[in-house]
Amino acid sequence: MPVLHHGDLHLSLEPGETALDALLRAGVPVPNSCRAGACQSCRLRASSGDPPPASQVGLKPTQRERGYFLACLCRPESDLTIAVDDDPPQDAEVVAIEPLSVDVVRLRLRPLAPLVHRAGQFITLLRADGLARSYSLANLPGDDTLELHVRALPHGRMSQWIAHDLRPGDQLRIRGPEGDCFYTDGSPEQPLLLIGTGTGLAPLLGIARDALHRGHTGPITLLHGAVTPAGLYLVDVLKDMSRAHANFSYLRCALHGEAAEGLQIGGIEAVAAALHPKLAGHRVFLCGDPERVQALRKQCFLRGARMDQILADAFVTARPPV
Amino acid sequence: MSLYDELGGAPALDAAVDIFYRKVLSDDRIARFFDGVDMERQAAKQKGFLTMVLGGPNHYTGKDMRTGHAHLLAKGLNDSHVDAVIENLGATLAELGVSAEKIAEVAALANSVRDDVLSRDHKPAV
C-alpha cells in the first residue's frame, strides 16, 4: 500500500482512496469543494514522490513540474510526501552590488549550497532583524551566483539597505525558490511574448535566457517598459542577445520621453497591442507592476492567449512606513 | 452520458472556459462585474459552474452561489445580467458544436441557479 506522508502523519492508503479522503480521515483540514478536479481548492504540492498524472490535469505546466496536484483526483501508486512547510532558509554571501540604472542595482549572491530553481522564480531575502522581501531570479539554474535586480524605492527599507549599506562578503539568508512564472519544455516552436515593467525585467531576462539555453526555436519577443527611458536598463545586454539569437527580439517603451531606434513612447498595453494584435497560440509572461500585469493579462486573454498560457508575476511592494 | 462527458470531461473544459470567459469579458452588458477580479480564480469558478450545468461531477451548493454574488447585487446585478450570462453560455456551446436542443437543456439547468445568484427566496411568478 502506498503511504502518504504529511508532517508527522504517515497514512497507509486504502485501495482506491484519494489523498484528499485519507487526509480528511486523519483530520487534516484540506480545503476542498467540487471533489472533481474543477475548483482546484484542494491543490497540494508533493515535496517527494510523483503525483499521478491524472491528479495534475488542468494545472499549469509550471505547477505540474513543481509537484502540484489535486488531492481529490490523487490515487497514488507509490509513496508521496506532501510539502507541509516552507523549506528552511539557507545562508548566502553577497558577491557584488552593481548599479544598472539610476535606481536599480544588480545584487549577486552565492548560496552556500546550490539553489535548485528555475529562471524567473523568486527568492525571499531575510535580513538579520527579520525584514523579508522577495526578488526574482534573472540568472540561469547552474550559474555560480544568483542575480537579482533591486530597485531602490524612496522608502524601501530593504532596497535602500541593499543599494547603500550592503557590501560584498556580507551574509544574508534566503528562502525559496517560489513562483510559477518560468519556461517549460515541450513546445519549442511556440511564439513567446515577454512583457514587463521596471525590475519585472529580471524574471523575463531569466526566462528568455532559459528558453534560448534550452533550444527554443520559436520567436521570443521581450518588451520592457518604464516611465521614462532612464528606467530602462541592461539595454546593451538585451541588444547583444537579439544580435546573437535570430529568434530573439527586444523592444522597449517609455510612457514619457523621446522615441528612438527600438524605443517607443506610449503606455505598455498600447505598445504591446500594436506589436501582437492576435495572441492565439502564444505563451505570454507578464512581470512587474501589479496594475500593468492585471491589465495586460486581460488584454492578452481577450486577444486570444489561452488562460493557462499566460504566466504572470505581479510585484507587490510593501507599503511605505507611515 | 452527460454532455460533460460527451464534450471530453475535465480536460476539454479548460477550452470551454476560455471561450466562455472571453465572451463574458467582451460583453458590455456584464463586463463591469468582472473588473478587478483575479482572473485565474475567476476562471476556476467558471470551470466549476460549467461542470455543474453540463452535468459533470460537482458539489454545487446554493449557499456558495449566494455568498459569491452578494457583493454584485450592490452593483446592480439583476435578471438581465443573468440572461446575458446564459446567452454567452449558449453561444459558447454552439461554438463547440453542441445542438440547440442540448443547449436548451443546459440553459434550463443554468436558470435553476438564478434565484441563488440573485439572493431570492422564491421564484418569481411567470
Side-chain angles (χ1 to χ4, degrees):
Chain A
M1 277 301 119
V3 176
L4 196 61
H5 304 281
H6 182 280
D8 297 333
L9 291 173
H10 309 283
L11 308 166
S12 285
L13 289 154
E14 308 289 334
E17 191 177 33
T18 66
L20 179 62
D21 289 335
L23 290 165
L24 294 175
R25 172 164 61 86
V28 180
V30 182
N32 67 91
S33 175
C34 78
R35 299 196 178 201
C39 72
Q40 302 197 359
S41 54
C42 66
R43 194 181 70 185
L44 297 174
R45 188 170 70 85
S47 57
S48 76
D50 297 318
S55 67
Q56 297 184 306
V57 167
L59 298 182
K60 286 180 192 293
T62 50
Q63 293 171 333
R64 290 202 290 267
E65 191 165 313
R66 295 179 63 211
Y68 280 98
F69 65 95
L70 302 175
C72 68
L73 298 181
C74 179
R75 293 180 175 83
E77 280 155 20
S78 52
D79 291 2
L80 211 55
T81 304
I82 293 166
V84 176
D85 212 351
D86 285 319
D87 296 326
Q90 64 153 315
D91 294 316
E93 183 184 293
V94 176
V95 176
I97 304 161
E98 312 140 298
L100 292 177
S101 78
V102 189
D103 58 357
V104 176
V105 297
R106 173 163 52 202
L107 171 60
R108 290 192 189 277
L109 294 173
R110 183 180 294 116
L112 293 197
L115 185 76
V116 179
H117 74 92
R118 299 298 312 270
Q121 287 192 294
F122 60 86
I123 57 170
T124 301
L125 301 188
L126 304 164
R127 201 167 69 178
D129 63 356
L131 187 69
R133 292 287 185 272
S134 299
Y135 298 98
S136 295
L137 295 159
N139 59 288
L140 287 180
D143 286 351
D144 286 345
T145 58
L146 307 177
E147 174 179 343
L148 312 175
H149 300 173
V150 180
R151 180 164 167 242
L153 298 165
H155 299 286
R157 283 190 289 160
M158 182 69 95
S159 60
Q160 290 289 343
W161 177 71
I162 290 170
H164 300 296
D165 302 320
L166 201 59
R167 297 284 175 266
D170 287 351
Q171 300 284 320
L172 274 172
R173 290 203 302 160
I174 61 173
R175 176 178 277 152
E178 269 297 323
D180 296 325
C181 190
F182 57 84
Y183 179 81
T184 46
D185 293 323
S187 311
E189 287 159 20
Q190 188 177 25
L192 307 184
L193 177 59
L194 289 61
I195 311 176
T197 59
T199 50
L201 181 62
L204 296 182
L205 179 62
I207 291 162
R209 283 171 170 162
D210 197 28
L212 291 167
H213 182 72
R214 288 163 178 265
H216 193 86
T217 54
I220 305 171
T221 307
L222 190 156
L223 172 62
H224 185 207
V227 177
T228 66
L232 299 163
Y233 61 92
L234 290 178
V235 173
D236 291 335
V237 167
L238 287 155
K239 282 183 177 172
D240 285 347
M241 269 173 76
S242 66
R243 274 189 287 268
H245 301 276
N247 63 330
F248 177 77
S249 48
Y250 163 55
L251 293 126
R252 54 203 202 284
C253 68
L255 205 50
H256 312 292
E258 277 184 39
E261 176 73 39
L263 168 65
Q264 298 187 47
I265 301 304
I268 195 161
E269 288 109 280
V271 173
L275 194 63
H276 286 291
K278 297 261 186 265
L279 290 173
H282 279 66
R283 201 182 326 167
V284 182
F285 298 88
L286 308 171
C287 300
D289 177 72
E291 279 186 35
R292 298 280 71 71
V293 166
Q294 191 179 23
L296 285 163
R297 186 199 286 273
K298 186 168 175 180
Q299 172 181 298
C300 291
F301 177 62
L302 289 177
R303 285 171 192 275
R306 271 168 43 183
M307 185 72 81
D308 64 358
Q309 293 291 318
I310 303 175
L311 297 150
D313 190 357
F315 294 180
V316 179
T317 50
R319 277 189 209 167
V322 191
Chain B
M1 193 179 194
S2 68
L3 193 49
Y4 174 84
D5 291 321
E6 271 179 50
L7 288 172
L13 227 58
D14 286 325
V17 170
D18 261 24
I19 297 171
F20 177 59
Y21 194 8
R22 211 172 271 129
K23 285 188 191 300
V24 164
L25 283 179
S26 309
D27 186 334
D28 290 339
R29 294 172 293 176
I30 47 179
R32 67 186 173 95
F33 293 111
F34 297 90
D35 284 346
V37 303
D38 179 325
M39 290 181 65
E40 290 194 316
R41 281 170 60 185
Q42 181 61 31
K45 286 177 187 167
Q46 293 191 0
K47 194 172 174 181
F49 171 67
L50 288 188
T51 302
M52 195 270 286
V53 297
L54 295 173
N58 70 90
H59 286 247
Y60 170 79
T61 68
K63 186 171 159 286
D64 290 345
M65 221 57 167
R66 280 171 189 259
T67 52
H69 293 89
H71 65 293
L72 297 178
L73 294 176
K75 286 189 179 180
L77 188 75
N78 63 34
D79 278 302
S80 74
H81 305 120
V82 177
D83 292 341
V85 168
I86 293 175
E87 192 184 307
N88 284 304
L89 175 62
T92 301
L93 295 175
E95 218 172 297
L96 292 170
V98 176
S99 71
E101 190 189 344
K102 289 258 170 73
I103 290 174
E105 286 173 29
V106 172
L109 206 50
N111 243 317
S112 71
V113 310
R114 180 185 292 265
D115 287 338
D116 284 329
V117 167
L118 297 174
S119 282
R120 277 196 301 239
D121 292 336
H122 304 288
K123 290 187 193 300
V126 181

Short mmCIF file of all heavy atoms in Angstrom, two decimals, chain A residues 96-101 104-108 147:
data_model
loop_
_atom_site.label_atom_id
_atom_site.label_comp_id
_atom_site.label_asym_id
_atom_site.label_seq_id
_atom_site.Cartn_x
_atom_site.Cartn_y
_atom_site.Cartn_z
N ALA A 96 28.51 40.74 -5.25
CA ALA A 96 28.68 42.05 -5.88
C ALA A 96 27.37 42.82 -5.84
O ALA A 96 26.30 42.22 -5.84
CB ALA A 96 29.15 41.89 -7.32
N ILE A 97 27.50 44.14 -5.80
CA ILE A 97 26.34 45.03 -5.94
C ILE A 97 26.74 46.08 -6.97
O ILE A 97 27.68 46.85 -6.74
CB ILE A 97 25.98 45.71 -4.61
CG1 ILE A 97 25.71 44.65 -3.55
CG2 ILE A 97 24.74 46.60 -4.77
CD1 ILE A 97 25.79 45.15 -2.14
N GLU A 98 26.09 46.07 -8.13
CA GLU A 98 26.48 46.98 -9.21
C GLU A 98 25.28 47.79 -9.66
O GLU A 98 24.19 47.25 -9.77
CB GLU A 98 26.99 46.18 -10.43
CG GLU A 98 28.00 45.12 -10.11
CD GLU A 98 27.76 43.84 -10.93
OE1 GLU A 98 26.71 43.20 -10.79
OE2 GLU A 98 28.65 43.50 -11.72
N PRO A 99 25.46 49.08 -9.96
CA PRO A 99 24.34 49.87 -10.47
C PRO A 99 23.97 49.45 -11.90
O PRO A 99 24.86 49.20 -12.72
CB PRO A 99 24.86 51.31 -10.44
CG PRO A 99 26.34 51.19 -10.45
CD PRO A 99 26.69 49.88 -9.82
N LEU A 100 22.67 49.36 -12.18
CA LEU A 100 22.20 49.07 -13.54
C LEU A 100 21.53 50.30 -14.14
O LEU A 100 21.46 50.43 -15.36
CB LEU A 100 21.21 47.90 -13.53
CG LEU A 100 21.74 46.52 -13.18
CD1 LEU A 100 20.61 45.50 -13.14
CD2 LEU A 100 22.80 46.07 -14.19
N SER A 101 20.98 51.15 -13.30
CA SER A 101 20.36 52.39 -13.77
C SER A 101 20.37 53.36 -12.60
O SER A 101 20.99 53.09 -11.56
CB SER A 101 18.93 52.14 -14.25
OG SER A 101 18.05 52.03 -13.14
N VAL A 104 18.27 51.26 -9.97
CA VAL A 104 18.27 49.79 -9.91
C VAL A 104 19.70 49.28 -9.74
O VAL A 104 20.60 49.74 -10.43
CB VAL A 104 17.65 49.17 -11.18
CG1 VAL A 104 17.74 47.65 -11.15
CG2 VAL A 104 16.19 49.62 -11.34
N VAL A 105 19.88 48.37 -8.78
CA VAL A 105 21.19 47.71 -8.65
C VAL A 105 21.03 46.22 -8.91
O VAL A 105 19.94 45.65 -8.75
CB VAL A 105 21.82 47.90 -7.24
CG1 VAL A 105 22.11 49.36 -6.97
CG2 VAL A 105 20.95 47.29 -6.16
N ARG A 106 22.13 45.62 -9.36
CA ARG A 106 22.15 44.17 -9.52
C ARG A 106 22.87 43.59 -8.32
O ARG A 106 24.00 43.95 -8.03
CB ARG A 106 22.89 43.78 -10.80
CG ARG A 106 23.09 42.26 -10.92
CD ARG A 106 23.43 41.85 -12.33
NE ARG A 106 24.55 42.60 -12.87
CZ ARG A 106 24.77 42.74 -14.19
NH1 ARG A 106 23.98 42.16 -15.07
NH2 ARG A 106 25.79 43.43 -14.62
N LEU A 107 22.18 42.72 -7.61
CA LEU A 107 22.76 42.06 -6.44
C LEU A 107 23.11 40.63 -6.83
O LEU A 107 22.26 39.89 -7.32
CB LEU A 107 21.73 42.06 -5.31
CG LEU A 107 22.04 41.25 -4.05
CD1 LEU A 107 23.32 41.74 -3.37
CD2 LEU A 107 20.88 41.33 -3.07
N ARG A 108 24.37 40.30 -6.68
CA ARG A 108 24.79 38.92 -6.95
C ARG A 108 25.07 38.22 -5.62
O ARG A 108 25.81 38.73 -4.78
CB ARG A 108 26.04 38.89 -7.83
CG ARG A 108 25.80 39.33 -9.26
CD ARG A 108 27.01 38.99 -10.14
NE ARG A 108 26.93 39.58 -11.46
CZ ARG A 108 26.24 39.03 -12.47
NH1 ARG A 108 25.60 37.89 -12.30
NH2 ARG A 108 26.23 39.62 -13.65
N GLU A 147 21.34 36.16 -9.54
CA GLU A 147 21.28 37.56 -9.97
C GLU A 147 19.89 38.14 -9.67
O GLU A 147 18.89 37.63 -10.14
CB GLU A 147 21.55 37.65 -11.48
CG GLU A 147 21.35 39.05 -12.04
CD GLU A 147 21.64 39.15 -13.55
OE1 GLU A 147 22.30 38.24 -14.09
OE2 GLU A 147 21.19 40.14 -14.16
#
